[in-house]
Amino acid sequence: MNYFGENERETQRRFALFRTRVSMPVLVWLDKRGCTSTEITLLSALCGLLFGLSVIFSLKVAIAFFLLHLLADSLDGSLARFQKSESEHGAFFDIITDHIALVTICAVPFAGDGRNPWVFPVYGFSYVLMITLITYG
């Protein structure tokens, strides 16, 4: 089903071209080093988990893991398409690992000492923004 009008589809098409142009050097670099989209998905999940856990100890380290998580999460599907290795299994694996990281991040304000209650709203907003841009781009 497609709920988008012609203008919206054209905007999505243009954004997809822009995203491809921007990410292409990174995709080529990853491909030359033999990286797979599954490895990038695992890296994204690991960084998401480490972001959630490091918020309790160091804001700077947490921000670094957060940015790495977002970057890896935005590249795994693109890398799979670039390598022509996309599959339903890979898409499902990506969703599962995204949700594991999200659950960890949501639990941190409750598991920690309460110093960082802003973690979930900031992560939630950033995650939804990135997924929206990736999905509709």
Side-chain angles (χ1 to χ4, degrees):
M1 259 190 231
N2 191 341
Y3 297 104
F4 301 105
E6 188 59 39
N7 288 339
E8 292 167 314
R9 282 193 296 271
E10 178 58 24
T11 299
Q12 292 168 357
R13 187 189 68 72
R14 281 185 298 192
F15 181 76
L17 291 173
F18 169 76
R19 184 183 65 208
T20 300
R21 188 177 69 239
V22 168
S23 65
M24 189 56 65
V26 176
L27 298 175
V28 169
W29 186 82
L30 290 170
D31 187 53
K32 283 183 179 179
R33 277 144 191 81
C35 294
T36 67
S37 57
T38 300
E39 292 168 340
I40 302 301
T41 298
L42 287 171
L43 176 65
S44 171
L46 178 64
C47 289
L49 292 170
L50 292 173
F51 163 68
L53 298 173
S54 65
V55 165
I56 298 169
F57 305 106
S58 171
L59 181 59
K60 290 178 183 177
V61 172
I63 289 171
F65 281 126
F66 174 69
L67 294 174
L68 286 171
H69 167 66
L70 289 178
L71 177 65
D73 193 37
S74 69
L75 288 173
D76 54 1
S78 296
L79 183 61
R81 287 185 290 278
F82 177 77
Q83 295 175 332
K84 298 186 182 2
S85 63
E86 54 189 325
S87 68
E88 287 184 25
H89 175 296
F92 181 73
F93 183 63
D94 181 45
I95 291 169
I96 295 300
T97 56
D98 288 347
H99 284 84
I100 289 170
L102 182 60
V103 167
T104 302
I105 291 163
C106 292
V108 166
F110 303 108
D113 61 6
R115 289 183 297 156
N116 300 307
W118 52 267
V119 171
F120 176 67
V122 168
Y123 179 82
F125 173 78
S126 302
Y127 182 81
V128 169
L129 178 64
M130 289 295 292
I131 295 303
T132 301
L133 291 174
I134 291 165
T135 302
Y136 298 111

